[in-house]
Amino acid sequence: MALLMVMSSVMLLTILITETVSGATVRIQLASQYRDEVKAEALAGTGVQLYRLVLMLSKQVGQNPMVMQVGQMLGINADTIWQMVPTINTQLLRLVLATDGDTDNLSDEERESMVVSGGLTEEQREASREDSGPMRRNFLDFDGDFSASVQDENRRIYVGKFQATGLAELLQTPSGAQIYAMLGREEYQDYLRDHNIQREELIGNLADWTDPDDVRIFQGGRESALYERLDEPYLPKNAPFDTREEIRLVEGWHLDGVWERVGHHLTVYGGGKVNINTAQRQVMFGLLMAYADGLNTDSYVEPFLDELLRLRGMPMAEGGLNFQQPQQFPQIMAQLGLPMREEVVEAITTESNVFRITSAGEVGSAVVEVHAIMDFSSDPGGRIVYWRTR
């Protein structure tokens, strides 16, 4: 009996100790993961704030009279500093610092270790964190890494709120005309026919989502009838969009095919004008088709678009193109051989004031992303209009 009691006691103590150790291990792992998540979120926020400084500098320098004068002499827009720093990646910075920008001198073992570790050996990471001097702390002296990028929202077409009461008026607005032209690409017609989609209806649904009434601009009827038949019904907002993702709630724009072709070129932020210095090909196509003087086809406009984008992508020293004033756009297009209607000047801009900053912080296995929208149109420090952490 004594031996049995001793064995039972030992087994009970073993189970108790094992459970305690196991629980403590789990709590330590959870605490470690939470610590890494907090660090990763802080790093992601650092990436956002760094770009905020870059954008503030770009705006202040761009408004300097001397810089503006030099920019005019060089034929460039002075507000372009932010475009010179499209991404910030601390892992790449560590790689450059550890290898002095030259990886040819590394041994095979170092190369293999860099591949396994995702870019740097542990020794190289430690070296990148060392202080650069007795009075200065190294910029990279922290755990983990972050990467950040910036894009201007003015490269997209603004659909935050339409000012139109009828379909004809809606299609004459800058945004309506450009979206109508983008949806009119010949390669999209089969998709639209297969899904029984009309361009006018898609644009009308965007306007109906933001206008205050319940009457459809396209062919009349109740706006809410489009959403009452859904498995999880909801009502149209009848107010301006708050986020870009909200566009996917609008009838027709929830389709991936519509979103991939046109939807991701739309924005609900900004002043409503497209920046012709940064707009992507699809948006520039819509702009040319909407405002070209005369009836044009895809095949006729595409060569002019190719030439415009080629010139815009070239360095200024080699004959590249950078618009300083909206009035230059119809002049340049006329020189290229595609006359534009003068109304195009009211639909475009050469400066961006609203920016989307995406930053991801990574510490260990924890990854946190921050998406921020900053508006510099009225606030020199950048007013935060959207912030999302995930």
Side-chain angles (χ1 to χ4, degrees):
M1 290 295 293
L3 181 59
L4 184 59
M5 292 180 61
V6 169
M7 293 179 63
S8 300
S9 300
V10 170
M11 292 179 59
L12 181 61
L13 289 173
T14 301
I15 294 173
L16 180 61
I17 294 173
T18 302
E19 183 66 23
T20 302
V21 171
S22 177
T25 302
V26 171
R27 287 192 293 272
I28 291 174
Q29 291 176 344
L30 290 175
S32 177
Q33 180 68 19
Y34 179 72
R35 176 204 63 197
D36 290 346
E37 287 180 357
V38 172
K39 287 184 176 181
E41 182 175 351
L43 288 177
T46 298
V48 172
Q49 298 303 331
L50 274 177
Y51 262 124
R52 190 177 196 172
L53 291 175
V54 171
L55 293 170
M56 291 171 60
L57 174 64
S58 180
K59 289 297 176 183
Q60 293 176 5
V61 171
Q63 296 172 0
N64 184 288
M66 183 176 297
V67 176
M68 293 177 65
Q69 184 177 1
V70 173
Q72 293 176 358
M73 293 174 58
L74 297 176
I76 62 174
N77 192 323
D79 182 29
T80 55
I81 294 180
W82 65 271
Q83 299 181 53
M84 301 177 185
V85 192
T87 59
I88 298 176
N89 190 313
T90 58
Q91 189 169 7
L92 292 179
L93 292 176
R94 294 185 195 277
L95 179 62
V96 172
L97 181 63
T99 62
D100 292 328
D102 184 10
T103 59
D104 294 336
N105 297 325
L106 298 177
S107 65
D108 293 339
E109 291 78 7
E110 290 177 323
R111 292 175 186 272
E112 183 178 353
S113 179
M114 291 174 65
V115 172
V116 173
S117 62
L120 288 174
T121 64
E122 192 57 39
E123 293 77 9
Q124 290 170 331
R125 288 184 177 276
E126 288 298 329
S128 69
R129 299 189 185 103
E130 293 179 357
D131 293 343
S132 56
M135 302 298 294
R136 293 194 305 171
R137 183 178 178 181
N138 188 352
F139 167 70
L140 299 174
D141 185 16
F142 54 83
D143 294 334
D145 287 296
F146 68 85
S147 60
S149 61
V150 63
Q151 285 188 346
D152 61 313
E153 286 294 295
N154 298 93
R155 69 174 55 196
R156 299 184 171 96
I157 299 174
Y158 177 76
V159 295
K161 184 173 177 61
F162 285 94
Q163 300 291 340
T165 57
L167 184 59
E169 182 183 359
L170 176 63
L171 297 180
Q172 292 300 316
T173 62
S175 297
Q178 293 174 68
I179 297 173
Y180 186 82
M182 291 170 65
L183 287 167
R185 289 189 75 105
E186 295 175 2
E187 58 186 286
Y188 296 168
Q189 298 315 299
D190 289 341
Y191 175 83
L192 295 179
R193 282 193 296 267
D194 292 343
H195 291 80
N196 194 26
I197 298 174
Q198 298 187 52
R199 293 182 284 171
E200 297 87 348
E201 183 176 11
L202 286 174
I203 302 171
N205 290 344
L206 286 174
D208 289 335
W209 185 267
T210 58
D211 64 21
D213 57 44
D214 192 39
V215 180
R216 297 188 65 192
I217 289 181
F218 179 76
Q219 297 182 349
R222 293 170 49 246
E223 298 172 1
S224 54
L226 295 174
Y227 307 97
E228 291 174 347
R229 56 183 172 78
L230 300 176
D231 294 338
E232 297 181 5
Y234 52 86
L235 295 175
K237 188 176 183 180
N238 290 337
F241 289 100
D242 287 319
T243 66
R244 186 161 165 259
E245 291 73 15
E246 191 180 328
I247 298 175
R248 299 300 303 268
L249 295 175
V250 179
E251 174 64 22
W253 295 94
H254 67 287
L255 298 172
D256 292 338
V258 174
W259 184 257
E260 291 169 0
R261 287 168 171 80
V262 177
H264 67 278
H265 293 295
L266 307 182
T267 184
V268 300
Y269 310 103
K273 297 184 177 183
V274 173
N275 187 340
I276 52 177
N277 286 319
T278 60
Q280 295 178 313
R281 182 185 186 90
Q282 182 75 335
V283 176
M284 293 301 296
F285 172 83
L287 187 68
L288 295 184
M289 289 291 290
Y291 289 98
D293 192 5
L295 297 176
N296 300 290
T297 62
D298 295 9
S299 58
Y300 179 75
V301 170
E302 286 289 352
F304 298 103
L305 178 59
D306 291 338
E307 180 64 12
L308 174 62
L309 296 180
R310 185 187 71 84
L311 292 174
R312 204 181 67 175
M314 290 175 57
M316 297 301 301
E318 300 177 9
L321 180 63
N322 187 284
F323 297 99
Q324 301 177 65
Q325 299 294 334
Q327 291 76 10
Q328 290 180 296
F329 185 70
Q331 298 173 4
I332 295 296
M333 293 309 303
Q335 294 175 10
L336 294 178
L338 184 66
M340 306 293 293
R341 303 201 311 272
E342 288 299 326
E343 303 93 277
V344 70
V345 175
E346 302 300 323
I348 60 178
T349 182
T350 58
E351 179 183 357
S352 294
N353 289 311
V354 183
F355 301 88
R356 176 183 296 270
I357 304 174
T358 303
S359 180
E362 182 176 357
V363 178
S365 60
V367 179
V368 176
E369 287 187 356
V370 172
H371 299 263
I373 304 291
M374 293 190 178
D375 187 349
F376 288 83
S377 57
S378 59
D379 187 345
R383 182 173 64 92
I384 299 176
V385 296
Y386 176 80
W387 186 283
R388 180 184 179 187
T389 301
R390 61 179 183 182

